[in-house]
Amino acid sequence: MEDEEGYTALSFQARRNALRTASPAKKQAVPSQVLHWQFVTLWVVFTGTVILVVAVRVLASQLADDKGETSNGTWPVKCNCSSDNFQSLLRSRICNQSKGNSPCQICPPLWHLHQGKCYWASKDLKSWTESQGDCSARGAQLAVIQDRREMEFLKMITEDTHRYWIGLSLSETKWRWITGHQLDHNMFQGPLSTAEEDSCGTIKGSTISPDFCTAVYQWICQKDPILL
């Protein structure tokens, strides 16, 4: 028993000494990894700062060049960066508006500007109610056609082989736009008189025609532009 206990004590002491010998090597590996990541982080921060400084100087140079306030054609001496001048710069760059203070109208990407309104034609198929819900999610409504010029414009941005929901529905035997205004039948032609209740209006080319609101078609959204 004494030999076994002595052997056990010696074996435990040997393992403990081996662990103490190996531990410094593990401790030395951690600082090198930390230093590596610290170096990478500092390099990324330095590079980002340089890019930001260069971008700010380029923008300041463009603003000053537009006002002609440069020194010997090199670096601008001062920059008149008031909100009015900055807005005028945006109008000239985005709207090609060189003179005047009248606001320019901007539509989101893939939307079309016409007569103070932005229009967007879908590619998917939905019911009339679902189509109106999609327009609402885009901050818009189904298109409300006010004259023949608007009708011709919608014909240009849509495919003449497809039907599109517009903001027109039949309510108590009367066709009304989604705005509450009644349809002027003298302005638009189409087989609307044959429609039944729960019908909504579609447009195809230059013709407005009815179908049940539960049918699925593409749709046209309309909203006000952004004024710059």
Side-chain angles (χ1 to χ4, degrees):
M1 295 295 293
E2 292 181 357
D3 291 341
E4 292 180 358
E5 292 177 355
Y7 176 79
T8 301
L10 289 174
S11 177
F12 177 76
Q13 183 68 27
R15 287 197 300 269
R16 185 168 61 181
N17 292 337
L19 289 173
R20 288 178 177 177
T21 304
S23 59
K26 294 182 178 179
K27 291 181 180 179
Q28 292 177 359
V30 174
S32 62
Q33 295 177 355
V34 173
L35 289 175
H36 171 73
W37 286 111
Q38 287 179 343
F39 175 78
V40 171
T41 302
L42 290 174
W43 176 253
V44 171
V45 172
F46 173 76
T47 305
T49 303
V50 171
I51 293 174
L52 179 60
V53 171
V54 171
V56 170
R57 295 187 67 181
V58 169
L59 178 60
S61 176
Q62 290 179 347
L63 288 172
D65 287 344
D66 288 342
K67 299 297 294 183
E69 297 168 345
T70 58
S71 176
N72 297 326
T74 56
W75 184 251
V77 177
K78 64 177 182 177
C79 172
N80 187 350
C81 297
S82 67
S83 60
D84 291 339
N85 290 326
F86 184 69
Q87 195 172 40
S88 297
L89 174 62
L90 290 178
R91 289 171 181 167
S92 64
R93 296 294 177 85
I94 298 176
C95 304
N96 295 323
Q97 183 176 320
S98 58
K99 296 181 181 181
N101 294 321
S102 59
C104 67
Q105 300 174 338
I106 303 174
C107 292
L110 304 181
W111 290 67
H112 306 272
L113 178 65
H114 178 71
Q115 292 184 339
K117 297 291 182 181
C118 297
Y119 299 89
W120 175 81
S122 78
K123 299 296 183 182
D124 299 327
L125 301 174
K126 292 182 182 294
S127 68
W128 189 89
T129 302
E130 291 172 337
S131 300
Q132 171 58 16
D134 180 83
C135 291
S136 297
R138 300 173 187 273
Q141 64 180 22
L142 286 173
V144 175
I145 305 174
Q146 298 179 338
D147 52 45
R148 297 298 301 180
R149 288 185 301 173
E150 192 171 7
M151 174 81 81
E152 291 301 318
F153 176 77
L154 295 181
K155 182 179 178 181
M156 290 174 54
I157 66 172
T158 56
E159 301 179 40
D160 55 7
T161 57
H162 295 171
R163 292 171 68 176
Y164 296 80
W165 287 124
I166 55 177
L168 186 65
S169 61
L170 186 63
S171 176
E172 298 178 353
T173 69
K174 293 182 179 180
W175 283 99
R176 296 184 184 277
W177 293 106
I178 201 169
T179 56
H181 296 87
Q182 191 169 340
L183 175 69
D184 184 358
H185 290 270
N186 296 324
M187 186 178 299
F188 304 104
Q189 297 179 354
L192 295 177
S193 59
T194 61
E196 302 178 14
E197 284 294 330
D198 298 324
S199 293
C200 295
T202 68
I203 183 175
K204 178 181 178 182
S206 300
T207 303
I208 295 179
S209 56
D211 203 340
F212 290 110
C213 301
T214 53
V216 291
Y217 294 109
Q218 295 171 241
W219 65 95
I220 305 173
C221 295
Q222 164 195 312
K223 68 178 177 179
D224 295 331
I226 300 172
L227 299 181
L228 179 61

